[in-house]
């Protein structure tokens, strides 16, 4: 058995989001502003370079004053933004960001994300004896028997991203019957499709975009392990067949799992219908038709929106409409695993995260290699060739110039070192490595202390670093503030509008609900309002009903004596 490595092309089929984590979400009025149908993600380094009043901007960040930020920056929004996106809908929520490389900020599909989806498919394929844990099927890392050690997948850099709106397809109950619907609040699901209620914008790589990486099957290493410990390896024959075959054997497994999943999803959407749900049925049919009979490539679901069934290897349920009910908690009586994250792209509803993986043949690999060679040739033409020409001209100078050149050589070396240090400082600054940039600039200043560039660079780095650190602290503070209990969050609100608006903002945060404790807290603050504001509360509370539910607000009004 030999080790095999394949160049792989990943093509996005439906909007793909590989999340960078909640800590990196873009928050409106802090990380981005929305204006004229566009989302501008601010770059603090560029903001400082454009001469925007940092003190005023800091105050606006503290209040998440998006309008004030836009007015202060004015017509420089394009210049001070690191990303500008078309906004599919207006949003006040945070935007879910795509994973990017640390140094150059390029969107990247992590090999670990691809590997996670491959692992789920292999769990489905390998499992035969009712096992329910990864260790039982794959082996474990402690003794080195984990199958995924022998499947190595590289990160794949992608060309660009865009913003895509998502909304949750959910089930709702009427009487004793369950129907399809769209989630518009924590406790509100209706049959109507309303794309700007309880929605989330995701930064996605959109359909048709491609990137190149690699998959390696370490068959030789597995054989060495199996020779000594085969009796401890579950399903050795299946694993040996997978690792000894070519990449299309893996593609076949993934395609079979994807086909089974899509057939079950199709039955789910045909049974539970709502406005525009037929688009999802048609979409699933199109995906099924895309799976090749010859396994020349595979269709795989991954990352954000992957769903319970896919992420667990899709072995628990043959019928997605028969998943049982929750027995306790706030979901008691509701169906399990009844939601689907749905994206709207180019006017069509789609399930998220489907990609095609295809092995590149020798000619295609050569074409990619030639494209890299072309890039290097351009660099040679632009930088190396002129340098060689200058050196040739220098060598042709007459002997009378020789002594002058020797005298100038030391100065030239100093200048070169100075320029190189300044260039490194600029590069570090562009990569947000401000301390390193300051160190390089200070080293350059030791060579030519009387030059002003180094002082300007140091000051620029310090100012941008302070602004970036302040922005991050404000973002953290905003998240921490929303994590408080409702009683603390609304304390001291002296007007009905402010009390209701602040409560609504708290409820929109992830994981927050209007339970009895929260109702008591709301009533306690409401009872502190003066008589005028108490009268206003009855009209203002309608906004709270949209997120907390009409039954809760009616109860509050009754208990406050306002019904």
């Amino acid at each position: 058995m030999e080790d095999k490595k394949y160049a792989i092309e990943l093509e996005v089929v439906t909007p793909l989001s590989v999340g960078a984590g909640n800590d990196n979400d873009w928050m409106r009025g802090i990380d981005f502003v929305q204006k004229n149908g566009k989302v501008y993600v601010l770059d603090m380094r560029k903001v400082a370079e454009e001469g925007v009043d940092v003190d005023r901007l800091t105050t606006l960040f503290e209040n998440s004053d998006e309008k004030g930020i836009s007015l202060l920056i004015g017509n420089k929004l394009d210049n001070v933004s690191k990303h500008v996106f078309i906004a599919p809908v207006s949003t006040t929520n945070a935007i879910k960001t795509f994973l990017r490389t640390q140094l150059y900020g390029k969107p990247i599909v992590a090999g670990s994300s691809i590997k996670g989806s491959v692992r789920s498919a292999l769990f489905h394929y390998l499992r035969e004896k009712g096992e329910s844990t990864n260790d039982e099927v794959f082996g474990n890392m402690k003794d080195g028997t984990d199958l995924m050690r022998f499947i190595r997948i590289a990160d794949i850099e992608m060309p660009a991203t865009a913003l895509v709106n998502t909304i949750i397809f959910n089930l709702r109950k009427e009487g004793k019957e369950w129907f399809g619907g769209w989630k518009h609040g924590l406790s509100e699901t209706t049959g109507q499709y309303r794309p700007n209620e309880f929605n989330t914008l995701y930064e996605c790589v959109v359909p048709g975009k491609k990137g190149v990486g690699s998959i390696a099957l370490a068959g030789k290493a597995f054989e060495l392990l199996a020779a000594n410990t085969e009796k401890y390896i579950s399903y050795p024959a299946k694993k040996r067949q997978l690792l000894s075959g070519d990449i299309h054997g893996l593609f076949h497994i993934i395609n079979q799992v994807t086909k089974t999943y899509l057939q079950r999803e199709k039955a789910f959407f045909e049974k539970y219908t709502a406005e525009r749900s037929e688009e999802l049925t048609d979409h699933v049919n199109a995906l099924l038709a895309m799976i090749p009979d010859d396994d020349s490539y595979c269709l795989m679901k991954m990352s954000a929106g992957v769903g319970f069934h896919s992420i667990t290897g899709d072995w628990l349920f043959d019928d997605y409409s028969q998943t049982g009910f929750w027995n306790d908690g706030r979901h008691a009586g509701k169906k399990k695993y009844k939601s689907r994250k749905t994206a709207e792209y180019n006017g069509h509803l789609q399930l998220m995260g489907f990609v095609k993986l295809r092995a590149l043949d020798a000619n295609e690999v050569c074409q990619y290699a030639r494209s890299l060679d072309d890039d290097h040739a351009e660099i040679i033409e632009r930088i190396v060739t002129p340098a060689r020409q200058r050196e040739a001209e220098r060598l042709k100078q007459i002997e009378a110039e020789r002594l002058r050149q020797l005298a100038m050589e030391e100065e030239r070396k100093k200048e070169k070192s100075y320029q190189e240090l300044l260039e490194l400082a600029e590069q570090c600054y562009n990569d947000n490595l401000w301390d390193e940039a300051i160190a390089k600039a200070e080293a350059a200043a030791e060579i030519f202390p009387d030059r002003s560039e180094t002082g300007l660079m140091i000051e620029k780095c310090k100012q941008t670093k302070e602004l970036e650190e302040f922005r991050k602290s404000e973002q953290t503070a905003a998240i921490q503030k929303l994590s408080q209990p409702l009683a603390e969050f609304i304390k001291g609100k002296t007007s009905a509008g402010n009390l209701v608006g602040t409560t609504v903002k708290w409820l929109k945060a992830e994981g927050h609900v209007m339970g009895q404790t929260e109702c008591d807290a709301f009533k306690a603050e409401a009872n502190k309002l003066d008589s005028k504001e108490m009268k206003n509360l009855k009209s203002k509370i309608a906004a709270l009903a949209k997120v907390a539910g009409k039954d809760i607000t009616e109860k509050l009004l009754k208990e406050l004596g306002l019904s």
Side-chain angles (χ1 to χ4, degrees):
M1 193 183 300
E2 298 179 352
D3 293 343
K4 301 173 183 177
K5 187 173 183 179
Y6 301 88
I8 297 294
E9 177 187 78
L10 181 147
E11 179 180 353
V12 176
V13 176
T14 66
L16 173 67
S17 171
V18 179
N22 292 338
D23 290 344
N24 293 298
D25 288 353
W26 291 325
M27 299 185 69
R28 189 165 184 171
I30 296 177
D31 298 296
F32 75 92
V33 296
Q34 191 163 330
K35 184 177 180 181
N36 298 330
K38 293 182 178 180
V39 168
Y40 296 86
V41 183
L42 302 177
D43 185 325
M44 294 304 107
R45 176 178 58 82
K46 293 180 180 179
V47 168
E49 288 178 346
E50 286 292 329
V52 176
D53 188 326
V54 174
D55 292 335
R56 289 179 61 193
L57 189 61
T58 298
T59 302
L60 296 171
F61 279 150
E62 289 176 349
N63 298 305
S64 298
D65 186 350
E66 181 189 24
K67 184 176 180 181
I69 294 169
S70 296
L71 288 172
L72 179 61
I73 296 175
N75 60 4
K76 297 179 180 178
L77 265 178
D78 283 299
N79 297 339
V80 302
S81 298
K82 56 185 171 184
H83 306 295
V84 180
F85 298 106
I86 300 297
V89 296
S90 180
T91 183
T92 57
N93 298 327
I95 295 173
K96 299 293 183 182
T97 59
F98 202 94
L99 183 65
R100 293 178 177 273
T101 58
Q102 185 172 4
L103 188 57
Y104 296 109
K106 299 291 186 181
I108 191 169
V109 177
S112 58
S113 296
I114 302 172
K115 198 170 186 177
S117 294
V118 171
R119 187 183 188 100
S120 293
L122 291 178
F123 187 93
H124 183 102
Y125 162 71
L126 292 170
R127 179 182 177 276
E128 290 179 352
K129 304 171 186 176
E131 302 95 338
S132 60
T133 69
N134 281 317
D135 285 1
E136 290 174 314
V137 174
F138 289 103
N140 63 76
M141 293 298 294
K142 290 182 179 179
D143 59 19
T145 59
D146 185 359
L147 172 64
M148 301 311 292
R149 288 181 55 225
F150 307 99
I151 301 175
R152 299 158 188 167
I153 305 176
D155 296 343
I156 298 178
E157 190 174 296
M158 302 303 290
T161 57
L163 296 186
V164 175
N165 190 38
T166 68
I167 188 170
I168 298 174
F169 184 89
N170 195 31
L171 298 188
R172 57 194 176 89
K173 191 175 184 182
E174 293 184 7
K176 296 182 179 181
E177 297 295 321
W178 288 87
F179 299 91
W182 300 99
K183 197 171 181 69
H184 301 305
L186 290 173
S187 58
E188 181 186 7
T189 297
T190 74
Q192 289 75 48
Y193 178 80
R194 300 199 292 267
N196 58 347
E197 294 185 14
F198 210 71
N199 60 313
T200 303
L201 292 187
Y202 278 79
E203 184 191 11
C204 293
V205 176
V206 297
K209 300 297 184 182
K210 300 176 182 179
V212 177
S214 65
I215 295 180
L217 303 178
K220 186 176 181 180
F222 178 80
E223 196 60 48
L224 289 172
L225 173 71
N228 299 312
T229 61
E230 182 164 335
K231 65 180 180 179
Y232 302 111
I233 298 175
S234 57
Y235 304 113
K238 277 189 172 183
K239 293 174 182 178
R240 183 176 284 109
Q241 181 181 13
L242 169 68
L243 294 172
S244 63
D246 67 16
I247 193 68
H248 297 96
L250 177 60
F251 287 175
H252 175 76
I253 293 169
I254 295 171
N255 278 332
Q256 293 307 304
V257 173
T258 301
K259 181 182 290 186
T260 299
Y261 167 77
L262 287 171
Q263 288 168 341
R264 293 171 179 173
E265 282 287 74
K266 178 182 177 182
F268 177 86
F269 286 119
E270 287 177 339
K271 180 170 184 177
Y272 300 114
T273 61
E275 182 182 355
R276 294 188 67 180
S277 64
E278 71 280 358
E279 291 182 37
L280 295 175
T281 306
D282 293 342
H283 167 62
V284 171
N285 282 329
L287 291 173
L288 282 166
M290 197 178 292
I291 299 174
D293 294 331
D294 61 358
D295 298 310
S296 54
Y297 62 83
C298 71
L299 183 70
M300 184 175 74
K301 185 173 176 63
M302 62 177 292
S303 296
V306 68
F308 172 83
H309 300 294
S310 290
I311 204 170
T312 56
D314 197 13
W315 61 272
L316 282 170
F317 304 102
D318 294 330
D319 183 346
Y320 292 168
S321 66
Q322 302 297 323
T323 54
F325 298 85
W326 297 106
N327 294 322
D328 50 29
R330 66 188 182 93
H331 295 300
K334 295 181 180 179
K335 275 185 175 290
K336 293 182 176 180
Y337 322 123
K338 60 186 179 64
S339 300
R340 306 291 189 273
K341 191 177 292 293
T342 305
E344 184 169 12
Y345 177 70
N346 277 350
H348 299 287
L349 295 181
Q350 307 176 22
L351 298 178
M352 294 182 71
F354 281 94
V355 301
K356 287 165 57 175
L357 296 179
R358 182 175 70 88
L360 300 175
D361 61 31
N363 288 333
E364 290 172 314
V365 172
C366 288
Q367 287 175 6
Y368 277 107
R370 280 196 295 271
S371 70
L372 291 177
D373 289 342
D374 290 343
D375 289 342
H376 290 303
E378 180 182 350
I379 293 171
I380 291 170
E381 183 66 23
R382 179 164 48 87
I383 300 174
V384 179
T385 300
R388 289 173 177 169
Q389 290 173 345
R390 287 194 298 272
E391 178 67 7
E393 292 171 359
R394 188 187 69 82
L395 292 174
K396 291 179 182 179
Q397 290 178 351
I398 61 174
E399 181 64 15
E401 292 289 314
R402 186 176 65 86
L403 292 175
R404 186 177 67 86
Q405 290 291 339
L406 288 175
M408 293 178 61
E409 185 65 13
E410 186 61 28
E411 190 69 12
R412 188 189 67 80
K413 289 179 180 179
K414 289 171 61 179
E415 182 66 30
K416 182 180 178 182
S417 297
Y418 178 84
Q419 293 298 335
E420 286 176 349
L421 285 167
L422 272 186
E423 288 173 4
L424 286 171
E426 188 68 35
Q427 182 61 54
C428 290
Y429 176 79
N430 291 336
D431 295 334
N432 297 336
L433 304 173
W434 297 293
D435 290 335
E436 290 85 343
I438 291 171
K440 299 297 182 187
E442 288 175 343
E446 292 179 1
I447 299 175
F448 293 117
D450 57 339
R451 295 193 181 180
S452 61
E453 299 103 305
T454 52
L456 292 173
M457 171 62 75
I458 292 168
E459 185 60 28
K460 182 171 68 171
C461 290
K462 289 180 177 179
Q463 186 181 58
T464 306
K465 179 183 178 182
E466 290 174 359
L467 185 59
E468 180 66 12
E469 288 175 348
F470 179 81
R471 184 196 66 80
K472 288 183 177 179
S473 68
E474 287 300 309
Q475 183 180 23
T476 301
I479 294 172
Q480 290 176 343
K481 190 175 181 181
L482 280 171
S483 67
Q484 296 180 109
L486 180 61
E488 293 295 322
F489 195 67
I490 62 176
K491 183 182 292 184
K493 303 305 177 186
T494 57
S495 72
N498 200 358
L499 176 60
V500 171
T502 306
T503 304
V504 168
K505 182 177 180 181
W506 185 87
L507 281 172
K508 286 183 177 180
E510 185 175 349
H512 288 177
V513 296
M514 197 71 176
Q516 186 59 50
T517 301
E518 289 72 27
C519 288
D520 292 341
F522 183 88
K523 287 186 293 181
E525 289 301 316
N527 282 323
K528 297 176 184 178
L529 298 175
D530 59 31
S531 58
K532 180 181 177 181
E533 289 300 323
M534 184 64 83
K535 290 179 181 179
N536 289 337
L537 183 60
K538 186 172 183 180
S539 62
K540 299 290 185 181
I541 208 168
L544 180 59
K546 292 182 179 180
V547 292
K550 189 176 181 181
D551 52 340
I552 289 178
T553 54
E554 287 178 348
K555 180 182 177 183
L556 287 171
L557 289 173
K558 182 177 180 180
E559 292 176 356
L560 289 168
L562 299 174
S563 60

